Each structure stands twice: as structure tokens, then as C-alpha cells.
Amino acid sequence: MNVVWSERAEHDLLRHWLFLAERSTFYAERVEARLRSAAALIGTVPFMGRRVVRTTCDLSLPDIQYVIRYRVDEDVVRILEIYSPRQNREEP
């Protein structure tokens, strides 16, 4: 399946990268690579994450403490958002 990043997810990725890069660009790049790699893997195993709603899932990445929220459509996986369980957030 093709993997498509929403504008929000791309913005989340940039926001997290900038936050992490203030402390370490090495770690920020490592986290970005891990998130992109996990998103690509979702394209091969679409329902590997925990289902939140019928076709929306969360894939937890405990090694970097981030979650990828995505939706599975007929022929595409849409990355909806990226968040850290440590951050204060409201559900979309």
C-alpha cells in the first residue's frame, strides 16, 4: 500500500524535529528516520497498530517514545499525526 503523510503529520514531524534538535541534531535525525521507517512498514502491514476506531490505528514506538496515528483506506495508508505520549494534548 502507498503511504501518504497528511499536512498535519508533516507539520508534527517538523515540530518534533525542531524541538529535539535544540538539544541534539543527531537524536532529532535518528527519531525522524525511525518515524519514517515505521510509517513505511505500516504500508506493508497496515493493521499492525492498535485500532482506535474502525480504520484508524495507533502504532506505538516505545524505543523513541512516539506514536504514529494513521488511517487505512482501500489502497492507501494516511499518516494523520505524530505525537509523544509525554506531551499534553487533546484528542483530535
Side-chain angles (χ1 to χ4, degrees):
M1 278 189 168
N2 290 328
V3 176
V4 176
W5 288 67
S6 71
E7 188 175 317
R8 177 181 179 165
E10 287 286 358
H11 175 68
D12 289 344
L13 188 61
L14 176 61
R15 183 172 48 86
H16 290 295
W17 191 94
L18 291 171
F19 174 79
L20 295 170
E22 288 179 7
R23 291 150 187 83
S24 167
T25 55
F26 173 79
Y27 185 66
E29 290 172 4
R30 180 176 163 245
V31 168
E32 179 185 9
R34 177 72 172 100
L35 288 166
R36 289 195 183 276
S37 168
L41 184 59
I42 292 169
T44 61
V45 187
F47 288 103
M48 67 189 300
R50 178 183 59 85
R51 286 192 186 183
V52 177
V53 184
R54 207 177 84 169
T55 60
T56 301
C57 302
D58 281 352
L59 179 63
S60 294
L61 304 171
D63 57 325
I64 58 171
Q65 298 183 8
Y66 279 91
V67 176
I68 299 174
R69 177 160 287 173
Y70 63 97
R71 184 177 68 236
V72 180
D73 291 330
E74 284 186 29
D75 60 345
V76 68
V77 171
R78 297 185 193 285
I79 306 300
L80 302 175
E81 69 175 314
I82 307 257
Y83 67 91
S84 170
R86 298 170 294 173
Q87 75 188 57
N88 192 7
R89 64 186 285 274
E90 294 181 23
E91 288 294 320

Coordinates of all heavy atoms in Angstrom, one line a residue:
M1 N 0.8 -1.2 0.0 CA 0.0 0.0 0.0 C 0.9 1.3 0.0 O 1.9 1.3 0.6 CB -0.9 0.0 1.3 CG -2.1 -0.7 1.2 SD -3.1 -0.4 2.6 CE -4.6 -1.1 2.1
N2 N 0.4 2.3 -0.7 CA 1.1 3.5 -0.6 C 0.9 4.2 0.7 O -0.2 4.1 1.3 CB 0.5 4.5 -1.7 CG 0.9 4.0 -3.1 OD1 2.0 3.4 -3.3 ND2 0.1 4.3 -4.1
V3 N 1.9 4.9 1.2 CA 1.8 5.7 2.4 C 1.8 7.2 2.1 O 2.7 7.6 1.4 CB 2.9 5.3 3.4 CG1 2.9 6.2 4.6 CG2 2.9 3.8 3.7
V4 N 0.8 7.9 2.6 CA 0.7 9.3 2.3 C 0.7 10.0 3.7 O -0.1 9.7 4.6 CB -0.6 9.6 1.5 CG1 -0.8 11.1 1.3 CG2 -0.6 8.9 0.2
W5 N 1.5 11.1 3.8 CA 1.6 11.9 5.0 C 0.6 13.1 4.9 O 0.7 13.8 3.9 CB 3.0 12.4 5.2 CG 3.9 11.3 5.6 CD1 4.4 10.2 4.9 CD2 4.6 11.1 6.9 NE1 5.2 9.5 5.6 CE2 5.4 10.0 6.8 CE3 4.5 11.9 8.1 CZ2 6.1 9.6 7.9 CZ3 5.3 11.5 9.1 CH2 6.1 10.3 9.1
S6 N -0.2 13.2 5.9 CA -1.1 14.4 5.9 C -0.3 15.7 6.2 O 0.9 15.6 6.7 CB -2.2 14.3 7.0 OG -1.6 14.4 8.2
E7 N -0.8 16.8 5.9 CA -0.1 18.1 6.2 C 0.2 18.2 7.7 O 1.2 18.6 8.1 CB -1.0 19.2 5.7 CG -0.2 20.6 5.7 CD -1.1 21.7 5.1 OE1 -1.6 21.5 4.0 OE2 -1.1 22.8 5.7
R8 N -0.8 17.8 8.4 CA -0.7 17.8 9.9 C 0.5 16.9 10.4 O 1.3 17.3 11.2 CB -1.9 17.4 10.6 CG -1.8 17.4 12.1 CD -3.1 17.0 12.8 NE -2.8 16.9 14.2 CZ -3.8 16.9 15.1 NH1 -5.0 16.8 14.7 NH2 -3.5 16.8 16.4
A9 N 0.6 15.7 9.8 CA 1.6 14.8 10.2 C 3.0 15.3 9.8 O 4.0 15.2 10.6 CB 1.4 13.4 9.6
E10 N 3.1 15.9 8.6 CA 4.4 16.5 8.2 C 4.8 17.7 9.2 O 5.9 17.8 9.5 CB 4.3 17.0 6.8 CG 4.3 15.9 5.7 CD 5.7 15.3 5.5 OE1 6.7 15.7 6.1 OE2 5.7 14.4 4.7
H11 N 3.8 18.5 9.5 CA 4.0 19.6 10.5 C 4.4 19.0 11.8 O 5.4 19.6 12.5 CB 2.7 20.4 10.6 CG 2.9 21.5 11.6 ND1 3.7 22.6 11.5 CD2 2.3 21.6 12.8 CE1 3.6 23.3 12.6 NE2 2.8 22.8 13.4
D12 N 3.8 18.0 12.3 CA 4.1 17.3 13.6 C 5.6 16.9 13.5 O 6.4 17.1 14.5 CB 3.3 16.1 13.9 CG 1.8 16.5 14.2 OD1 1.6 17.7 14.6 OD2 1.0 15.6 14.2
L13 N 6.0 16.2 12.4 CA 7.3 15.7 12.3 C 8.3 16.9 12.4 O 9.3 16.8 13.1 CB 7.5 15.0 11.0 CG 8.8 14.2 10.7 CD1 8.9 13.1 11.8 CD2 8.8 13.6 9.4
L14 N 8.1 18.0 11.7 CA 9.0 19.1 11.7 C 9.0 19.7 13.1 O 10.1 20.0 13.6 CB 8.5 20.2 10.7 CG 9.3 21.5 10.7 CD1 10.8 21.2 10.4 CD2 8.7 22.5 9.7
R15 N 7.9 19.9 13.7 CA 7.8 20.5 15.1 C 8.6 19.6 16.1 O 9.4 20.2 16.9 CB 6.3 20.6 15.5 CG 6.1 21.2 16.8 CD 4.6 21.4 17.1 NE 3.8 20.3 16.8 CZ 3.5 19.3 17.7 NH1 4.1 19.4 18.9 NH2 2.7 18.3 17.4
H16 N 8.5 18.3 16.0 CA 9.2 17.4 16.9 C 10.7 17.5 16.6 O 11.5 17.5 17.5 CB 8.7 16.0 16.9 CG 7.3 15.9 17.5 ND1 7.1 16.1 18.9 CD2 6.1 15.6 17.0 CE1 5.8 15.9 19.1 NE2 5.2 15.6 18.0
W17 N 11.0 17.5 15.3 CA 12.4 17.6 14.9 C 13.1 18.9 15.5 O 14.2 18.8 16.1 CB 12.6 17.5 13.4 CG 14.0 17.3 13.0 CD1 14.6 16.2 12.7 CD2 15.0 18.4 12.8 NE1 15.9 16.4 12.4 CE2 16.2 17.7 12.4 CE3 15.0 19.7 13.0 CZ2 17.4 18.4 12.2 CZ3 16.2 20.4 12.7 CH2 17.4 19.7 12.3
L18 N 12.4 20.0 15.3 CA 13.0 21.3 15.8 C 13.1 21.2 17.3 O 14.1 21.7 17.9 CB 12.1 22.4 15.4 CG 12.1 22.7 13.9 CD1 11.0 23.7 13.5 CD2 13.4 23.2 13.4
F19 N 12.2 20.7 18.0 CA 12.3 20.6 19.5 C 13.5 19.7 19.9 O 14.2 20.1 20.8 CB 11.0 20.0 20.1 CG 11.0 19.7 21.5 CD1 10.8 20.8 22.4 CD2 11.2 18.4 22.0 CE1 10.9 20.5 23.8 CE2 11.3 18.2 23.4 CZ 11.1 19.2 24.3
L20 N 13.6 18.6 19.3 CA 14.7 17.7 19.6 C 16.1 18.2 19.2 O 17.1 18.1 19.9 CB 14.5 16.3 19.0 CG 13.3 15.5 19.5 CD1 13.0 14.3 18.6 CD2 13.4 15.2 21.0
A21 N 16.1 18.9 18.1 CA 17.4 19.5 17.5 C 17.9 20.6 18.4 O 19.1 20.8 18.4 CB 17.1 20.0 16.1
E22 N 17.1 21.2 19.2 CA 17.6 22.2 20.2 C 18.6 21.5 21.2 O 19.5 22.2 21.7 CB 16.5 22.8 21.0 CG 15.7 23.8 20.2 CD 14.5 24.4 21.0 OE1 14.4 24.1 22.2 OE2 13.7 25.1 20.4
R23 N 18.4 20.3 21.4 CA 19.3 19.5 22.3 C 20.3 18.7 21.6 O 21.5 18.6 22.0 CB 18.4 18.6 23.2 CG 17.6 19.4 24.2 CD 16.3 18.7 24.6 NE 15.4 19.6 25.4 CZ 14.6 20.5 24.9 NH1 14.6 20.7 23.6 NH2 13.9 21.2 25.7
S24 N 19.9 18.0 20.5 CA 20.8 17.2 19.7 C 20.3 17.0 18.3 O 19.2 16.3 18.1 CB 20.9 15.8 20.4 OG 21.6 14.9 19.6
T25 N 21.0 17.5 17.3 CA 20.5 17.2 15.9 C 20.7 15.7 15.6 O 19.9 15.2 14.8 CB 21.3 18.1 14.9 OG1 22.7 17.9 15.1 CG2 21.0 19.5 15.0
F26 N 21.7 15.1 16.2 CA 21.9 13.6 15.9 C 20.6 12.9 16.4 O 20.1 12.0 15.6 CB 23.1 13.1 16.7 CG 23.3 11.6 16.6 CD1 23.8 11.0 15.5 CD2 22.9 10.8 17.7 CE1 23.9 9.6 15.4 CE2 23.0 9.5 17.6 CZ 23.5 8.9 16.5
Y27 N 20.1 13.2 17.6 CA 18.9 12.5 18.1 C 17.7 12.8 17.2 O 16.9 12.0 16.9 CB 18.7 12.7 19.5 CG 17.6 11.9 20.1 CD1 17.7 10.6 20.2 CD2 16.4 12.5 20.5 CE1 16.6 9.8 20.7 CE2 15.3 11.8 21.0 CZ 15.5 10.4 21.1 OH 14.4 9.7 21.6
A28 N 17.6 14.1 16.9 CA 16.4 14.5 16.0 C 16.4 13.8 14.7 O 15.3 13.3 14.3 CB 16.5 16.1 15.8
E29 N 17.5 13.6 14.1 CA 17.6 12.9 12.8 C 17.3 11.4 13.0 O 16.7 10.8 12.2 CB 19.0 13.1 12.2 CG 19.1 14.5 11.7 CD 20.5 14.9 11.2 OE1 21.4 14.0 11.1 OE2 20.7 16.0 10.8
R30 N 17.8 10.9 14.1 CA 17.5 9.5 14.5 C 16.0 9.2 14.6 O 15.5 8.2 14.1 CB 18.3 9.1 15.7 CG 18.1 7.6 16.1 CD 18.9 7.2 17.3 NE 18.4 6.0 17.9 CZ 17.8 5.9 19.1 NH1 17.8 6.9 19.9 NH2 17.4 4.8 19.5
V31 N 15.4 10.1 15.4 CA 13.9 10.0 15.6 C 13.2 10.1 14.3 O 12.2 9.3 14.0 CB 13.4 11.0 16.6 CG1 11.9 11.1 16.7 CG2 14.0 10.6 18.0
E32 N 13.5 11.1 13.5 CA 12.9 11.3 12.2 C 13.0 10.0 11.3 O 12.0 9.5 10.7 CB 13.4 12.5 11.4 CG 12.7 12.6 10.1 CD 13.3 13.8 9.2 OE1 14.3 14.3 9.5 OE2 12.7 14.0 8.2
A33 N 14.2 9.5 11.3 CA 14.4 8.3 10.5 C 13.6 7.1 11.0 O 13.0 6.3 10.2 CB 15.9 7.9 10.5
R34 N 13.5 7.0 12.3 CA 12.7 5.9 12.9 C 11.2 6.0 12.6 O 10.6 5.1 12.2 CB 13.0 5.9 14.4 CG 12.1 4.8 15.2 CD 12.7 3.4 14.9 NE 12.0 2.5 15.8 CZ 11.0 1.7 15.4 NH1 10.5 1.7 14.2 NH2 10.4 0.9 16.3
L35 N 10.7 7.3 12.6 CA 9.3 7.5 12.3 C 9.0 7.3 10.9 O 8.0 6.6 10.5 CB 9.0 9.0 12.7 CG 8.9 9.3 14.2 CD1 8.9 10.8 14.5 CD2 7.6 8.6 14.8
R36 N 9.9 7.7 10.0 CA 9.7 7.5 8.5 C 9.8 6.0 8.2 O 9.0 5.4 7.4 CB 10.6 8.3 7.7 CG 10.3 9.8 7.8 CD 11.0 10.6 6.7 NE 10.8 12.0 6.8 CZ 9.7 12.6 6.3 NH1 8.8 11.9 5.6 NH2 9.5 13.9 6.4
S37 N 10.7 5.3 8.8 CA 10.8 3.8 8.6 C 9.6 3.1 9.1 O 9.1 2.2 8.4 CB 12.1 3.4 9.4 OG 12.1 2.0 9.5
A38 N 9.1 3.5 10.3 CA 7.9 2.8 10.8 C 6.7 3.1 9.9 O 5.9 2.2 9.7 CB 7.6 3.3 12.2
A39 N 6.6 4.3 9.4 CA 5.5 4.7 8.5 C 5.5 3.8 7.2 O 4.5 3.4 6.8 CB 5.5 6.2 8.2
A40 N 6.7 3.6 6.7 CA 6.9 2.8 5.5 C 6.4 1.3 5.8 O 5.8 0.7 5.0 CB 8.3 2.8 5.0
L41 N 6.8 0.9 7.0 CA 6.4 -0.5 7.4 C 4.9 -0.7 7.5 O 4.4 -1.7 7.1 CB 7.1 -0.9 8.7 CG 6.9 -2.3 9.2 CD1 7.5 -3.3 8.2 CD2 7.6 -2.5 10.5
I42 N 4.2 0.4 8.0 CA 2.8 0.3 8.1 C 2.2 0.1 6.7 O 1.2 -0.6 6.6 CB 2.2 1.6 8.6 CG1 2.6 1.8 10.1 CG2 0.7 1.7 8.5 CD1 2.4 3.2 10.7
G43 N 2.8 0.6 5.6 CA 2.3 0.3 4.3 C 2.3 -1.2 3.9 O 1.5 -1.6 3.1
T44 N 3.2 -2.0 4.5 CA 3.3 -3.4 4.2 C 2.4 -4.2 5.2 O 2.0 -5.3 4.8 CB 4.7 -3.9 4.2 OG1 5.3 -3.7 5.5 CG2 5.6 -3.2 3.2
V45 N 2.2 -3.7 6.4 CA 1.4 -4.4 7.4 C 0.4 -3.4 8.0 O 0.6 -2.9 9.1 CB 2.2 -5.0 8.5 CG1 1.3 -5.9 9.4 CG2 3.4 -5.9 7.9
P46 N -0.7 -3.0 7.2 CA -1.5 -1.9 7.6 C -2.1 -1.9 9.0 O -2.3 -0.9 9.6 CB -2.6 -1.9 6.5 CG -2.0 -2.6 5.4 CD -1.1 -3.6 6.0
F47 N -2.5 -3.1 9.5 CA -3.2 -3.1 10.8 C -2.3 -3.6 11.9 O -2.7 -4.2 12.9 CB -4.5 -3.9 10.7 CG -5.6 -3.3 9.9 CD1 -5.8 -3.6 8.6 CD2 -6.3 -2.2 10.4 CE1 -6.8 -3.0 7.9 CE2 -7.3 -1.6 9.7 CZ -7.5 -2.0 8.4
M48 N -1.0 -3.2 11.8 CA -0.1 -3.6 12.8 C -0.2 -2.8 14.1 O 0.2 -3.2 15.2 CB 1.4 -3.5 12.3 CG 1.8 -2.1 12.0 SD 3.4 -2.1 11.2 CE 4.5 -2.9 12.4
G49 N -0.8 -1.6 14.0 CA -1.1 -0.8 15.2 C -2.3 -1.2 15.9 O -3.1 -2.0 15.5
R50 N -2.5 -0.5 17.1 CA -3.7 -0.8 17.9 C -4.9 0.1 17.3 O -4.7 1.2 17.0 CB -3.4 -0.3 19.3 CG -4.6 -0.4 20.3 CD -4.3 0.2 21.6 NE -3.9 1.6 21.6 CZ -4.8 2.6 21.6 NH1 -6.1 2.4 21.6 NH2 -4.4 3.8 21.6
R51 N -6.0 -0.6 17.0 CA -7.1 0.1 16.5 C -7.7 1.1 17.5 O -8.0 0.7 18.6 CB -8.2 -0.9 16.0 CG -7.8 -1.5 14.7 CD -8.9 -2.3 14.1 NE -8.3 -3.0 13.0 CZ -9.1 -3.8 12.1 NH1 -10.4 -3.8 12.3 NH2 -8.5 -4.4 11.2
V52 N -7.9 2.3 17.0 CA -8.6 3.3 17.8 C -10.0 3.4 17.5 O -10.9 3.5 18.3 CB -7.9 4.7 17.6 CG1 -8.5 5.8 18.4 CG2 -6.4 4.6 17.9
V53 N -10.3 3.5 16.2 CA -11.6 3.4 15.6 C -11.5 2.5 14.4 O -10.4 2.1 14.1 CB -12.0 4.9 15.1 CG1 -13.5 4.9 14.6 CG2 -11.9 5.9 16.2
R54 N -12.6 2.2 13.8 CA -12.6 1.1 12.8 C -11.4 1.0 11.9 O -10.8 0.0 11.8 CB -13.9 1.3 11.9 CG -14.4 0.1 11.3 CD -15.6 0.3 10.6 NE -15.2 0.8 9.3 CZ -16.1 0.9 8.2 NH1 -17.3 0.7 8.4 NH2 -15.6 1.3 7.1
T55 N -11.0 2.1 11.2 CA -9.9 2.0 10.3 C -8.8 3.0 10.7 O -7.8 3.2 9.9 CB -10.3 2.4 8.8 OG1 -10.8 3.7 8.8 CG2 -11.3 1.4 8.3
T56 N -8.8 3.5 11.9 CA -7.8 4.4 12.4 C -7.0 3.6 13.5 O -7.6 3.0 14.4 CB -8.4 5.7 13.0 OG1 -9.1 6.3 12.0 CG2 -7.3 6.6 13.5
C57 N -5.7 3.7 13.4 CA -4.8 2.9 14.3 C -3.7 3.8 14.9 O -3.4 4.8 14.3 CB -4.2 1.7 13.6 SG -5.3 0.6 12.8
D58 N -3.2 3.4 16.0 CA -2.0 4.0 16.6 C -0.9 3.0 16.6 O -1.1 1.8 17.1 CB -2.3 4.4 18.1 CG -3.1 5.7 18.2 OD1 -3.3 6.4 17.1 OD2 -3.4 6.1 19.3
L59 N 0.2 3.3 16.1 CA 1.4 2.5 16.2 C 2.4 3.1 17.2 O 2.9 4.2 17.0 CB 2.1 2.3 14.9 CG 3.4 1.5 14.9 CD1 3.1 0.1 15.3 CD2 4.1 1.5 13.6
S60 N 2.6 2.5 18.3 CA 3.5 3.0 19.4 C 4.9 2.6 19.1 O 5.2 1.4 18.7 CB 3.1 2.4 20.7 OG 1.8 2.9 21.1
L61 N 5.8 3.5 19.3 CA 7.2 3.2 19.1 C 7.9 3.5 20.4 O 8.4 4.6 20.6 CB 7.8 4.1 18.0 CG 7.1 4.0 16.6 CD1 7.6 5.1 15.6 CD2 7.3 2.6 16.0
P62 N 7.9 2.6 21.3 CA 8.4 2.8 22.7 C 9.9 3.1 22.7 O 10.3 3.8 23.7 CB 8.1 1.5 23.4 CG 7.8 0.5 22.4 CD 7.4 1.2 21.2
D63 N 10.7 2.7 21.7 CA 12.1 3.0 21.8 C 12.4 4.5 21.6 O 13.4 5.0 22.1 CB 12.8 2.2 20.7 CG 12.3 2.4 19.3 OD1 11.1 2.6 19.1 OD2 13.1 2.4 18.3
I64 N 11.5 5.2 21.0 CA 11.7 6.7 20.8 C 10.6 7.5 21.5 O 10.6 8.7 21.5 CB 11.8 7.1 19.3 CG1 10.6 6.7 18.5 CG2 13.1 6.6 18.8 CD1 10.6 7.2 17.1
Q65 N 9.6 6.8 22.1 CA 8.5 7.4 22.8 C 7.6 8.3 21.9 O 7.3 9.4 22.3 CB 9.0 8.1 24.1 CG 9.7 7.2 25.0 CD 10.1 7.9 26.3 OE1 9.8 9.0 26.6 NE2 10.8 7.1 27.1
Y66 N 7.3 7.7 20.8 CA 6.3 8.5 19.9 C 5.3 7.5 19.4 O 5.4 6.3 19.4 CB 7.1 9.0 18.7 CG 7.8 10.3 19.0 CD1 9.1 10.4 19.5 CD2 7.1 11.5 18.9 CE1 9.7 11.6 19.8 CE2 7.7 12.7 19.2 CZ 9.0 12.7 19.7 OH 9.6 13.9 20.0
V67 N 4.2 8.1 18.9 CA 3.1 7.3 18.4 C 2.7 7.9 17.0 O 2.7 9.1 16.8 CB 1.8 7.4 19.3 CG1 0.6 6.7 18.7 CG2 2.1 6.8 20.7
I68 N 2.5 7.0 16.0 CA 2.0 7.3 14.7 C 0.5 7.0 14.6 O 0.2 5.8 14.8 CB 2.8 6.6 13.6 CG1 4.3 6.9 13.7 CG2 2.2 6.9 12.2 CD1 5.1 6.1 12.7
R69 N -0.3 8.0 14.4 CA -1.7 7.7 14.2 C -2.0 7.7 12.7 O -1.5 8.6 12.0 CB -2.6 8.8 14.9 CG -4.1 8.5 14.6 CD -5.0 9.2 15.6 NE -4.9 8.5 16.9 CZ -5.5 8.9 18.0 NH1 -6.2 10.0 18.0 NH2 -5.4 8.2 19.1
Y70 N -2.7 6.7 12.2 CA -2.9 6.6 10.8 C -4.2 5.9 10.5 O -4.9 5.4 11.4 CB -1.8 5.7 10.2 CG -1.7 4.3 10.6 CD1 -2.3 3.3 9.9 CD2 -1.0 4.0 11.8 CE1 -2.2 2.0 10.3 CE2 -0.9 2.7 12.2 CZ -1.5 1.7 11.5 OH -1.5 0.4 11.9
R71 N -4.7 6.1 9.3 CA -6.0 5.6 8.8 C -5.7 4.7 7.6 O -4.9 5.1 6.7 CB -6.9 6.7 8.4 CG -8.3 6.2 8.1 CD -9.3 7.3 7.8 NE -8.9 8.0 6.6 CZ -8.7 9.3 6.5 NH1 -8.9 10.0 7.6 NH2 -8.4 9.8 5.4
V72 N -6.3 3.6 7.5 CA -6.2 2.7 6.4 C -7.4 2.8 5.5 O -8.5 2.6 5.9 CB -6.1 1.2 6.9 CG1 -5.9 0.3 5.7 CG2 -4.9 1.0 7.9
D73 N -7.2 3.3 4.3 CA -8.2 3.3 3.3 C -8.1 2.2 2.3 O -7.2 1.3 2.6 CB -8.2 4.7 2.5 CG -8.5 5.9 3.4 OD1 -9.3 5.7 4.4 OD2 -8.0 7.0 3.2
E74 N -8.8 2.1 1.3 CA -8.8 0.9 0.4 C -7.4 0.6 -0.2 O -7.0 -0.5 -0.1 CB -9.7 1.1 -0.8 CG -11.2 0.9 -0.4 CD -12.1 1.0 -1.6 OE1 -11.7 0.6 -2.7 OE2 -13.3 1.4 -1.4
D75 N -6.7 1.6 -0.7 CA -5.4 1.4 -1.3 C -4.3 2.3 -0.8 O -3.2 2.4 -1.4 CB -5.5 1.5 -2.8 CG -6.0 2.9 -3.3 OD1 -6.5 3.6 -2.4 OD2 -5.8 3.2 -4.5
V76 N -4.5 3.0 0.3 CA -3.6 3.9 0.9 C -3.6 3.9 2.4 O -4.7 3.8 3.0 CB -3.8 5.3 0.2 CG1 -5.1 5.9 0.7 CG2 -2.6 6.2 0.5
V77 N -2.5 4.1 3.0 CA -2.4 4.4 4.4 C -2.1 5.9 4.6 O -1.1 6.4 3.9 CB -1.2 3.6 5.1 CG1 -1.0 4.0 6.5 CG2 -1.5 2.1 5.0
R78 N -2.9 6.6 5.3 CA -2.7 8.0 5.6 C -2.2 8.2 7.0 O -2.8 7.9 7.9 CB -4.0 8.8 5.4 CG -4.6 8.7 4.0 CD -5.8 9.5 3.8 NE -6.5 9.2 2.6 CZ -6.0 9.5 1.3 NH1 -5.0 10.2 1.2 NH2 -6.7 9.1 0.3
I79 N -1.0 8.8 7.0 CA -0.4 9.1 8.3 C -1.1 10.4 8.8 O -1.0 11.4 8.1 CB 1.1 9.3 8.2 CG1 1.8 8.1 7.6 CG2 1.7 9.7 9.6 CD1 1.6 6.8 8.4
L80 N -1.8 10.4 9.9 CA -2.7 11.5 10.3 C -1.9 12.4 11.2 O -2.1 13.7 11.1 CB -3.9 11.0 11.0 CG -4.8 10.1 10.1 CD1 -6.0 9.5 11.0 CD2 -5.3 10.8 8.9
E81 N -1.2 11.9 12.2 CA -0.4 12.7 13.1 C 0.6 11.9 13.8 O 0.6 10.7 13.8 CB -1.4 13.3 14.2 CG -2.0 12.4 15.1 CD -2.8 13.1 16.2 OE1 -2.3 14.1 16.8 OE2 -3.9 12.6 16.5
I82 N 1.6 12.6 14.4 CA 2.7 12.0 15.2 C 2.6 12.8 16.5 O 2.6 14.0 16.6 CB 4.0 12.3 14.5 CG1 4.0 11.9 13.1 CG2 5.2 11.8 15.3 CD1 4.7 10.7 12.7
Y83 N 2.7 12.0 17.6 CA 2.7 12.6 18.9 C 3.5 11.8 19.9 O 3.8 10.6 19.6 CB 1.3 12.9 19.4 CG 0.5 11.7 19.7 CD1 0.5 11.1 21.0 CD2 -0.3 11.1 18.7 CE1 -0.3 10.0 21.3 CE2 -1.1 10.0 19.0 CZ -1.1 9.4 20.3 OH -1.8 8.3 20.6
S84 N 3.9 12.4 20.9 CA 4.5 11.8 22.0 C 3.5 11.6 23.2 O 2.8 12.6 23.5 CB 5.7 12.6 22.5 OG 6.2 12.0 23.7
P85 N 3.5 10.4 23.8 CA 2.5 10.3 24.9 C 2.9 11.2 26.1 O 2.1 11.4 26.9 CB 2.7 8.8 25.3 CG 3.6 8.2 24.3 CD 4.1 9.2 23.4
R86 N 4.1 11.7 26.1 CA 4.6 12.6 27.1 C 4.0 14.0 27.0 O 4.0 14.8 27.9 CB 6.1 12.7 27.2 CG 6.8 11.3 27.4 CD 8.2 11.4 27.2 NE 8.5 11.7 25.8 CZ 9.6 11.9 25.2 NH1 10.7 12.0 26.0 NH2 9.7 12.1 23.9
Q87 N 3.6 14.3 25.8 CA 3.1 15.7 25.6 C 1.6 15.9 26.0 O 0.9 14.9 26.0 CB 3.2 16.1 24.1 CG 2.2 15.5 23.1 CD 2.5 15.8 21.7 OE1 3.6 15.5 21.2 NE2 1.6 16.4 21.0
N88 N 1.3 17.1 26.4 CA -0.1 17.4 26.8 C -0.9 17.7 25.5 O -0.5 18.6 24.8 CB 0.0 18.6 27.7 CG -1.3 18.9 28.4 OD1 -2.2 18.1 28.3 ND2 -1.4 20.0 29.1
R89 N -1.9 16.9 25.3 CA -2.6 17.0 24.0 C -4.1 16.7 24.2 O -4.4 16.0 25.1 CB -2.0 16.2 22.9 CG -2.1 14.7 23.2 CD -1.3 13.9 22.2 NE -2.0 13.7 20.9 CZ -2.9 12.8 20.6 NH1 -3.3 12.0 21.5 NH2 -3.5 12.8 19.4
E90 N -4.9 17.2 23.3 CA -6.3 16.8 23.2 C -6.5 15.9 22.1 O -5.8 16.0 21.0 CB -7.1 18.1 22.9 CG -7.1 19.1 24.1 CD -8.0 20.3 23.8 OE1 -8.9 20.2 23.0 OE2 -7.7 21.3 24.4
E91 N -7.4 15.0 22.2 CA -7.7 14.0 21.1 C -8.3 14.8 19.9 O -9.1 15.7 20.1 CB -8.7 13.0 21.6 CG -8.1 12.0 22.6 CD -7.0 11.1 21.9 OE1 -7.2 10.7 20.8 OE2 -6.0 10.9 22.6
P92 N -7.9 14.4 18.7 CA -8.4 15.1 17.5 C -9.9 14.7 17.3 O -10.4 13.8 17.8 CB -7.6 14.6 16.4 CG -6.9 13.3 16.9 CD -6.9 13.4 18.4

